[in-house]
Amino acid sequence: MQTQEDKLKKVISHAKEYGFVFPSSEIYDGLSAAYDYGQLGSELKNNIKQYWWSAMTRMHQNIVGIDASIFMHPTTWKASGHVDAFNDPLIDNKDSKKRYRADVLLEDYIKKQEEKIKKEIDKAKGKFGDSFEEEKFRATNPNVLRSQEKINAVEDRMKAALEASDLVALKALIEELEIADPETGSRNWTDVRQFNLMFKTELGAVSGDAGIIYLRPETAQGIFVNFLNVQKSGRMKLPFGIAQIGKAFRNEIIARQFIFRMREFEQMEMQFFVKPGTEMEWYAYWKEARMKWHQALGIGEDHYKFHDHLKLAHYANGACDIEFNFPMGFKELEGIHSRTDFDLKSHEEFSGKKLRYFDPETNESFIPYVVETSVGLDRMFLAVLSSALEEEKLEDGSERTVLRSHPALAPVKVAVLPLVKKDGLPEKAKEIVDLLKHDFNLQFDDKDAIGRRYRRQDAIGTPYCITIDNETLLDNMVTIRERDSMQQERVAIQDLHGIIEKKVSLRHLLQAN
Ligand code: ATP
């Protein structure tokens, strides 16, 4: 059986072999947790961005997009709380010298208990068949109850320790649960320490503390500080949203698992400003809307689940993650948070400038509440790539590697393939390229046997291959081959645009939202 590790390894090597993702500065042996997107990777990434941007801004008349700078006035990060509190509790294993996040070790322990419960349930389901009642089983089975009690106790103690920043209690919990280094099994731990995740650099020629600025650890603050600029210049009325896609930087303690956790990554964030008191309605709205956005990609509902936050930040009154079944198991893909008026209020205090909305209907000024949706672009990329990659056994016994990503996200939409390199076929093929290139990203390929060219396109997820043969010169018909079914059809050149458009247009994805 394929282990999780094998699965991730396959994705990584496929990504490299076909030009999706390369290790950063590889000729110098790479830089840990930094990656470069290659020729196909950047296309896929752009398509994901476009899907998100369109779903946010075009599908909502009251959401607009901005592009704020990465460097911001350093007081921004005082106001946001990042200077004082953007810390992860880290712990080192003295034997293996490996560093871990203490909260992640505890969460993994909880996940193991949850898996135990799931195993019991699956076993009972198999035994009792249709008459099985899961709820009743959960409430009565002693093994399940024991595991659930353990989970509840650990969750409560972890929450209390994190909220109080009680690092001694966190370590005590890790020791008491006999949590071992996942890689070596050693239980020889250091104390837990706090570690600030922001990267610092110096501004211009100013050195010393006065010149220190940060690489933004999230894009959201660029939105908050522009709240009034956008509201006034765009004459926006509550409720309204501001969306942004951009780079963020975090000096992650453990940056492993390929592009899942990097030190430089991209976020797609939207802050939705609402009247105080209506935020829970909007929180529920955005939870549903964001799940729909993900599921429209057709990856399968069982790949997603909500995870409500244990530890609510002191200013939040609702927070959850949408988790995705990555090759490493279920992990956070997107966060949805109800942040109250914390950020705007704090920027008011630190800047001395009013950040209020004037409601013309009630003649009142107030600080709006905010519901935020925040999804990692790189994690989306990994979700799409890993779920699409398939090794398929064909009827004739052969195998093909196919990337079944949604056609609207596919980096290349069409491959134009003259059957042979002579008899005027390449010239005819180039005419087809000219006919389609303005609307679709396409590849022209006249090397190798046609079967090999098909396989190559399957491996990069191209929805359509068009083959030009001698007959084409006589009747202006070509063979069009569809990626998933591998069905081939003879169609007129003039119909190609319509056929391809129907399949690859972003419109269908947006309509499914
Ligand atoms: P995690 O718990 O995995 O560290 P987080 O809760 O700190 O994530 P948020 O601050 O909510 O993450 O950031 C919003 C989104 O940004 C996340 O859902 C994730 O998709 C993405 N993200 C956060 N950190 C990273 C990273 N180091 N590399 C890639 N994507 C990231």
Side-chain angles (χ1 to χ4, degrees):
M1 219 187 71
Q2 191 170 246
T3 63
Q4 289 185 339
E5 215 166 290
D6 295 340
K7 235 159 107 190
L8 185 62
K9 272 195 191 143
K10 271 204 182 127
V11 173
I12 297 171
S13 73
H14 190 86
K16 182 164 177 220
E17 185 180 347
Y18 288 93
F20 284 90
V21 184
F22 308 122
S24 157
S25 28
E26 197 186 9
I27 58 167
Y28 296 105
D29 295 332
L31 177 70
S32 103
Y35 289 90
D36 297 339
Y37 287 86
Q39 65 279 18
L40 293 184
S42 12
E43 294 285 346
L44 173 55
K45 207 172 163 194
N46 279 338
N47 293 341
I48 296 173
K49 282 194 215 181
Q50 216 194 337
Y51 174 39
W52 185 86
W53 189 263
S54 303
M56 282 297 173
T57 62
R58 290 202 199 162
M59 298 302 106
H60 295 92
Q61 286 304 310
N62 58 350
I63 300 182
V64 290
I66 64 163
D67 185 13
S69 68
I70 287 172
F71 291 139
M72 300 182 70
H73 191 285
T75 310
T76 310
W77 307 110
K78 268 265 167 214
S80 68
H82 284 81
V83 172
D84 296 324
F86 193 49
N87 299 317
D88 272 348
L90 69 85
I91 188 165
D92 291 287
N93 188 281
K94 288 186 201 159
D95 297 329
S96 70
K97 311 278 180 246
K98 297 253 179 222
R99 181 162 286 179
Y100 296 93
R101 262 170 63 178
D103 55 331
V104 170
L105 287 177
L106 289 165
E107 268 162 15
D108 286 347
Y109 174 88
I110 292 170
K111 278 203 174 132
K112 270 194 201 136
Q113 299 298 322
E114 281 167 351
E115 274 158 26
K116 267 192 197 162
I117 295 182
K118 191 171 173 297
K119 265 196 196 142
E120 290 283 347
I121 290 174
D122 288 345
K123 212 165 73 189
K125 249 189 209 156
K127 206 159 120 195
F128 297 111
D130 287 344
S131 61
F132 179 68
E133 289 176 55
E134 183 171 328
E135 236 167 79
K136 202 162 151 198
F137 184 77
R138 276 183 184 272
T140 50
N141 179 279
N143 291 342
V144 171
L145 285 175
R146 211 173 310 121
S147 296
Q148 191 58 50
E149 253 169 46
K150 253 191 214 161
I151 292 174
N152 295 346
V154 175
E155 280 182 350
D156 286 348
R157 286 178 60 189
M158 175 169 133
K159 186 177 166 193
L162 287 173
E163 270 173 4
S165 283
D166 186 345
L167 305 180
V168 175
L170 273 182
K171 175 163 187 202
L173 193 53
I174 287 172
E175 284 184 331
E176 202 181 305
L177 297 172
E178 301 188 337
I179 293 177
D181 181 333
E183 288 190 27
T184 63
S186 155
R187 289 195 217 125
N188 193 5
W189 296 112
T190 62
D191 287 341
V192 179
R193 281 167 296 146
Q194 292 285 25
F195 175 78
N196 193 288
L197 300 181
M198 279 201 294
F199 279 103
K200 280 182 199 159
T201 186
E202 281 173 12
L203 185 70
V206 189
S207 63
D209 278 357
I212 283 184
I213 55 168
Y214 301 95
L215 297 187
R216 68 179 176 198
E218 62 175 29
T219 57
Q221 300 305 324
I223 293 179
F224 290 125
V225 299
N226 278 300
F227 159 71
L228 262 198
N229 283 337
V230 174
Q231 193 268 320
K232 289 205 162 138
S233 59
R235 295 178 300 139
M236 309 299 289
K237 283 214 165 77
L238 285 190
F240 74 91
I242 305 178
Q244 172 165 230
I245 300 176
K247 289 255 173 163
F249 304 82
R250 295 181 188 178
N251 201 359
E252 299 278 4
I253 297 167
I254 31 161
R256 283 187 220 124
Q257 298 172 326
F258 194 35
I259 54 174
F260 179 83
R261 189 178 298 286
M262 294 193 285
R263 300 206 166 96
E264 171 185 344
F265 58 100
E266 230 166 319
Q267 291 185 313
M268 305 190 284
E269 295 199 301
M270 194 278 299
Q271 311 292 325
F272 200 69
F273 300 92
V274 305
K275 257 191 185 158
T278 64
E279 72 277 10
M280 292 325 280
E281 270 164 56
W282 286 110
Y283 175 63
Y285 170 87
W286 282 110
K287 264 178 91 166
E288 198 190 322
R290 293 304 303 147
M291 189 56 114
K292 264 200 189 150
W293 182 88
H294 287 287
Q295 291 186 346
L297 288 170
I299 293 174
E301 288 184 13
D302 57 342
H303 276 72
Y304 303 89
K305 65 181 182 200
F306 281 115
H307 172 250
D308 289 315
H309 276 202
L310 267 182
K311 180 197 170 200
L312 278 188
H314 62 277
Y315 51 85
N317 59 3
C320 70
D321 300 332
I322 293 178
E323 291 190 340
F324 183 81
N325 195 5
F326 287 100
M328 319 77 78
F330 274 98
K331 303 235 175 237
E332 173 176 345
L333 171 61
E334 169 153 9
I336 301 161
H337 313 123
S338 175
R339 300 175 69 108
T340 68
D341 59 357
F342 170 79
D343 302 270
L344 290 178
K345 205 157 128 192
S346 184
H347 284 304
E348 258 202 17
E349 277 164 24
F350 278 82
S351 69
K353 310 267 169 24
K354 287 261 174 280
L355 291 174
R356 301 194 173 209
Y357 174 77
F358 176 73
D359 188 340
E361 278 157 31
T362 58
N363 272 339
E364 275 174 346
S365 275
F366 56 87
I367 302 179
Y369 271 35
V370 171
V371 175
E372 153 185 275
T373 73
S374 173
V375 56
L377 176 53
D378 312 273
R379 288 192 190 175
M380 258 319 281
F381 186 103
L382 183 59
V384 169
L385 191 69
S386 63
S387 61
L389 188 61
E390 193 181 313
E391 259 148 40
E392 188 185 17
K393 270 231 171 323
L394 301 176
E395 274 171 19
D396 65 3
S398 64
E399 256 188 31
R400 70 165 179 160
T401 302
V402 54
L403 204 62
R404 290 186 195 273
S405 60
H406 192 288
L409 298 187
V412 177
K413 306 299 188 206
V414 199
V416 181
L417 317 171
L419 197 59
V420 289
K421 267 198 225 178
K422 53 182 188 189
D423 303 338
L425 299 192
E427 290 74 15
K428 189 73 185 167
K430 294 229 162 95
E431 275 176 32
I432 297 179
V433 168
D434 286 339
L435 193 73
L436 301 173
K437 70 181 179 192
H438 305 101
D439 293 312
F440 310 112
N441 189 33
L442 52 77
Q443 274 189 357
F444 172 89
D445 187 6
D446 62 0
K447 292 175 277 298
D448 301 325
I450 193 73
R452 283 184 71 174
R453 283 184 265 167
Y454 282 155
R455 290 291 179 270
R456 197 179 149 76
Q457 295 300 331
D458 286 343
I460 63 172
T462 307
Y464 283 122
C465 289
I466 297 168
T467 309
I468 294 92
D469 54 29
N470 285 308
E471 297 265 300
T472 309
L473 302 178
L474 304 172
D475 62 5
N476 268 326
M477 305 272 281
V478 291
T479 302
I480 186 162
R481 172 187 179 272
E482 199 268 330
R483 177 193 74 195
D484 296 342
S485 62
M486 296 192 293
Q487 296 252 315
Q488 303 191 10
E489 213 187 323
R490 200 78 189 156
V491 304
I493 290 176
Q494 66 194 34
D495 293 338
L496 281 174
H497 191 284
I499 296 172
I500 299 162
E501 158 81 20
K502 212 166 163 190
K503 182 129 188 149
V504 309
S505 160
L506 198 56
R507 193 184 319 124
H508 311 301
L509 254 182
L510 294 170
Q511 281 167 347
N513 264 257

